[in-house]
Amino acid sequence: MEIILSVNNLEVVYGGIKALQGISFVVNRGEIVTLIGANGAGKSSTLRAISGVVPAGAGSIIFKQKEITNLPSHLIARGGLSHVPEGRGVFTKLSVEENLIAGSYLRQDKPQIAKDMNNVYEMFPQLGERKKQLGGSLSGGEQQMLAIGRAIMSGAEMLLLDEPSMGLAPLIVQEIFGIIKRINSTGKTVLLVEQNANQALKVANRAYILETGRIIMAGNAVEMIDNPEIKRAYLGGH
């Protein structure tokens, strides 16, 4: 299998506190890999360091065999990596269509941009129906769809999704995870950070469990769902 992302001994420090204590993991092309763990485990810090939002204090990040450690965010995005942050971050004063067009600002390939726009509307019919509506007037679920749609418009080969189900009703959560599977089936690689460990393990190929900035377990997602220790700690099982 081809490794698309390799994180090696990554450390992130906030004000003298190590949020990440030298973690290492890989993501293979075409996989969905999930990072799970409690609040404050370092999941979001991992994504932010990969996408250049926060600096790596030590270690290296290799994407498509090129080192991207501490490169500016826009260069990392241009290289094919798109980060959908926690809280969605849609442009509230722009229309749905303008938000999607903004996602493609680093691209020149107009025919493919138009094709991707059609694909987004096909994948998210609600966005197609609301293309002239302002981003800020959408429901939480629709804003999450718009944020993911905007990432697709960047032409990225790999998506970093941070807590896509946060604050959404259970039915919408199901829909979002179905969409993540569908995006993955088009050939895009996904690194997913998610507090809803149960749902994340159902869609992922592999998982890494973080605890206080360290990876404490890694393995096949299906096997993790059946692991009694993980059930107890993360899945609300007994």
Side-chain angles (χ1 to χ4, degrees):
M1 277 188 138
E2 183 199 344
I3 293 173
I4 189 169
L5 179 75
S6 175
V7 172
N8 311 295
N9 302 312
L10 179 65
E11 291 183 9
V12 169
V13 181
Y14 297 113
I17 294 161
K18 271 192 187 176
L20 293 178
Q21 310 204 34
I23 67 166
S24 298
F25 66 91
V26 297
V27 179
N28 298 308
R29 189 179 284 280
E31 279 189 310
I32 299 177
V33 170
T34 186
L35 305 178
I36 57 179
N39 256 341
K43 307 183 302 293
S44 293
S45 296
T46 305
L47 295 195
R48 289 185 194 127
I50 293 167
S51 65
V53 177
V54 299
S60 66
I61 303 158
I62 313 291
F63 178 60
K64 295 195 300 184
Q65 299 173 337
K66 290 193 184 99
E67 179 152 2
I68 61 166
T69 321
N70 292 333
L71 275 182
S73 292
H74 69 279
L75 291 182
I76 293 172
R78 188 172 283 162
L81 197 57
S82 188
H83 183 181
V84 180
E86 187 185 332
R88 306 185 263 278
V90 304
F91 300 120
T92 54
K93 301 277 197 289
L94 295 184
S95 70
V96 166
E97 189 134 65
E98 287 165 339
N99 264 276
L100 293 173
I101 290 165
S104 66
Y105 78 103
L106 291 171
R107 299 172 62 183
Q108 306 300 324
D109 48 339
K110 286 206 163 63
Q112 189 58 46
I113 291 171
K115 201 172 165 188
D116 285 348
M117 183 79 87
N118 287 336
N119 289 344
V120 168
Y121 286 143
E122 197 185 310
M123 204 176 283
F124 306 105
Q126 298 96 315
L127 298 184
E129 289 157 18
R130 293 165 177 67
K131 59 172 84 166
K132 300 299 176 208
Q133 255 181 254
L134 294 183
S137 70
L138 301 180
S139 69
E142 288 161 353
Q143 286 193 12
Q144 186 62 64
M145 292 172 194
L146 181 55
I148 294 172
R150 198 173 61 194
I152 291 168
M153 289 303 296
S154 73
E157 291 166 68
M158 182 170 179
L159 302 185
L160 308 178
L161 303 180
D162 195 355
E163 303 283 8
S165 77
M166 187 180 270
L168 301 181
L171 267 177
I172 306 296
V173 170
Q174 292 285 348
E175 194 175 348
I176 293 291
F177 277 99
I179 286 159
I180 292 167
K181 287 280 285 185
R182 194 168 159 198
I183 289 167
N184 176 244
S185 73
T186 68
K188 293 196 188 296
T189 307
V190 178
L191 179 58
L192 170 67
V193 155
E194 185 51 72
Q195 267 202 290
N196 188 333
N198 225 328
Q199 285 286 355
L201 289 172
K202 280 178 188 163
V203 299
N205 302 100
R206 292 185 305 110
Y208 293 90
I209 297 182
L210 269 80
E211 209 171 84
T212 56
R214 289 190 173 92
I215 290 171
I216 57 159
M217 200 180 286
N220 177 295
V222 174
E223 288 166 11
M224 283 199 177
I225 290 176
D226 295 329
N227 179 315
E229 204 182 315
I230 292 170
K231 265 188 181 157
R232 251 195 324 275
Y234 301 102
L235 307 179
H238 304 289

